Amino acid sequence: MRTLPPTITPARSRDLVGSVIDASTALLAEQQHDIVRFAMGAPSEDLMPMERLDQAFSNAGRGRYDYGATEGEPQLREQILHLSEWAGSPTRDERLLVTTGGMQGLDLAFKLFVARGDLVVVEAPTYTNGYATALSYGAEVLAAPVDGQGLVVEALPELVKHAGRAPRAIYTIPNFQNPTGVTMTRARRELLLQLAEQWGSVIIDDDPYGLLRFDGDHVPGFAEIAPDHPLLFQVRTFSKVIAPGLRIGWIDVDPEVRRLAINAKQAMDTCASVPVQTAVATYLGSGDLQRHIAGLRGIYRDRKNAMRSSLQRHFGDLATATDPEGGFFLWLTLTGEASAIDTERLFPRALTDGVAYIPGPAFTTDGSLRNALRLCFATSSPERIDEGIQRLARTVRHDLVATGALV
Amino acid sequence: MRTLPPTITPARSRDLVGSVIDASTALLAEQQHDIVRFAMGAPSEDLMPMERLDQAFSNAGRGRYDYGATEGEPQLREQILHLSEWAGSPTRDERLLVTTGGMQGLDLAFKLFVARGDLVVVEAPTYTNGYATALSYGAEVLAAPVDGQGLVVEALPELVKHAGRAPRAIYTIPNFQNPTGVTMTRARRELLLQLAEQWGSVIIDDDPYGLLRFDGDHVPGFAEIAPDHPLLFQVRTFSKVIAPGLRIGWIDVDPEVRRLAINAKQAMDTCASVPVQTAVATYLGSGDLQRHIAGLRGIYRDRKNAMRSSLQRHFGDLATATDPEGGFFLWLTLTGEASAIDTERLFPRALTDGVAYIPGPAFTTDGSLRNALRLCFATSSPERIDEGIQRLARTVRHDLVATGALV
């Protein structure tokens, strides 16, 4: 095979960081022995409504194999309107565009609003592929810290002042954030809306987990606080509440932005797969999703509680963890003697010991947060969770002994 | 509704030309009366293997709702390998990546290789959305003429010399081109490969119709002439031979480019819809496609011949048409007294008269070719084709009378 001559080295390759999550997953896929999987952020198959989906796909209807409207099939948009109403954030059809998963919603947002050299605020830590998408359009990222109350919005003015220019976009996951599981407070949401208006920045509001609150009180979304805000770009998906393999999501945006997004999507993939849109509309029309979500909430609450108990039991004071009120993830920070451990270095050892996670640096723009890691509590039963946390604690202790930190 | 403040006017909006085809389609959708539809480039539903697809979607299998590998489901890649072998262009698994339709293949190609200001050669006329995708990455397009033997490759050196720099990419539809229906000769393909190598340009080889040759001799593809050429980016799709609503295609590229494409796709839509990939693999595994394609070829040959006869009968010397040996389209150029007619202006009148087409300027970068139009012969029966061509000829004659060109 001839190698690529230097003149055609793809112009954007330096911006296209592959997903570290995916790299970990590839390594994970090679393993033959028993592994407790806390790595991927996907519901386990037994928590997907498989039979109902099978029925929906079997429910043949004419028209489902032809090109569809770029904005999405009308019957699916209608169901999304019902769902939004049920979820307490009613919207309008003229604001909706069906996407090929939530990822494409992010791709659209950055494609529309970010040109090379534009400043984009991202959370530190944040969702790796969201960050990769911003980079693929040449964004310069400004990482802003996250604490137990979400993005530290109060820190933004100083960071932006230091950067010397206003951000074009602010990318946030306000509810049960990936990877930390924390939720942004109402006060911070209000301040963020105010700053975005002042700077003329778009808020890219990525909310895959919002419907999965299992504890605590509802925090109003940006659209509830500021209805019809023209700078709010809401990215939504069925991946976490139905099934990720469908690749169906939607954006809820100003009608003028939607018009641009339709044009952009025509040059991306024309429309989302029509048989899948039809099947999802059929499934939603059956009314099963609300019941399904109620079930998931109870299960995820139990699993989160199980994981926190196991962490307490097996880690003691070697780690602290966030206490999410919903979603899939909690964030573990190694402390005390363990705080010097590099979770990326530890990863192959943990795999050998039978437990998988995503190392902290996978979620940062600068490879920091090396003593932290993301754990997905959504995929495993409480018993498996305890087994996995026990294995992880053993790996950490062995490492402390091996490196001489613990004797 | 507040309007968007000028500071956040989307950076790329000026590059995101909406598809004129789609705009025409929207107008078309509003019509209530009988219209012969020569506009869209889609197989009619009665020519899609609907029952077989319904069966394939009903064929539930575990795993089809989870995230899939970004490069595509292994069983689908295996079927694509078989199909490529059958089609006379065998390839290897390490070169394949399943895409969300052919459109995403183009999006990937331009995302990987084109940065703002890069020169991209496009055919004049060409596929509107391919051109829009190049623009969305800030390409400067260099339009090169097409004649009865495809892209006029001999004209490129002079055009490139005049542009003052080598093109980063050359976007071509070599077989039964959209919109003209013409096929590039072997000699021109060889010359194009040579020029691309000399300039270090990527050849983006978009071939949705290649399997639909119904007349004439096979012309070897770029990959047959120059196997494993690192600069060849092959974009393929099932839209025209199975059904477009599926949104399943693939790219066949150098393994090194594929690695970059996997990274890029992770930040676009993660993977193509898994239940659809599974269903397409099941359908392909049944062996029906080869039989189906053989049937399509006969039907499209009849329809193309019917359209050319009708054009001869109803237009006489008011128009000339290309004579495609495959695919979906022929290109009509108004001649004589009719050569002053603007087909974009004529379009609403034609709709009223009960016939739809796509105006020539929709396929150019500069709004030229105003006296030409694209006709899709694939969608209608010979009888309907004759009715439609008769209506179109009537519209043209009425216009000549109304504008005083004909008395």
Side-chain angles (χ1 to χ4, degrees), chain A residues 103-282:
Chain A
M103 191 67 242
Q104 189 180 55
L106 297 179
D107 194 12
L108 275 166
F110 290 116
K111 184 185 272 269
L112 286 181
F113 290 102
V114 174
R116 184 159 296 277
D118 280 346
L119 198 65
V120 173
V121 170
V122 303
E123 297 172 330
T126 190
Y127 171 53
T128 317
N129 283 354
Y131 154 57
T133 306
L135 286 190
S136 83
Y137 293 105
E140 291 183 15
V141 297
L142 180 62
V146 168
D147 67 16
Q149 306 198 307
L151 175 66
V152 185
V153 181
E154 312 86 270
L156 289 182
E158 189 60 31
L159 286 168
V160 165
K161 193 177 160 195
H162 191 255
R165 61 212 161 114
R168 172 71 69 170
I170 299 162
Y171 171 53
T172 179
I173 306 167
N175 297 315
F176 326 122
Q177 199 241 11
N178 181 2
T180 62
V182 301
T183 295
M184 197 189 295
T185 58
R186 178 179 181 133
R188 283 185 171 175
R189 291 174 197 225
E190 286 171 351
L191 181 58
L192 190 63
L193 282 161
Q194 195 183 311
L195 290 172
E197 184 121 0
Q198 179 186 323
W199 292 328
S201 318
V202 179
I203 297 176
I204 301 173
D205 163 19
D206 185 15
D207 188 20
Y209 314 100
L211 291 171
L212 296 173
R213 173 175 284 281
F214 48 67
D215 273 331
D217 295 328
H218 171 71
V219 180
F222 294 111
E224 284 172 77
I225 298 170
D228 288 322
H229 196 295
L231 303 184
L232 184 61
F233 196 109
Q234 300 174 86
V235 176
R236 303 291 182 263
T237 178
F238 289 114
S239 291
K240 311 304 176 181
V241 293
I242 305 182
L246 299 168
R247 310 310 303 132
I248 296 289
W250 70 98
I251 59 172
D252 180 345
V253 295
D254 187 275
E256 179 66 14
V257 172
R258 184 224 201 197
R259 194 181 57 75
L260 297 168
I262 289 174
N263 285 354
K265 187 170 162 66
Q266 279 170 15
M268 291 161 79
D269 64 0
T270 317
C271 62
S273 181
V274 183
V276 185
Q277 290 189 66
T278 309
V280 173
T282 302

Side-chain angles (χ1 to χ4, degrees), chain B residues 197-208:
Chain B
E197 183 120 3
Q198 179 186 322
W199 291 330
S201 317
V202 179
I203 296 176
I204 301 173
D205 163 19
D206 185 15
D207 188 22

Side-chain angles (χ1 to χ4, degrees), chain A residues 8 12 54 65 111 200 245 274, chain B residues 8 12 54 65 111 200 245 274:
Chain A
I8 69 116
R12 288 158 182 262
D54 284 348
Y65 299 124
K111 184 185 272 269
V274 183
Chain B
I8 68 116
R12 287 158 183 262
D54 284 348
Y65 298 125
K111 185 186 272 271
V274 183

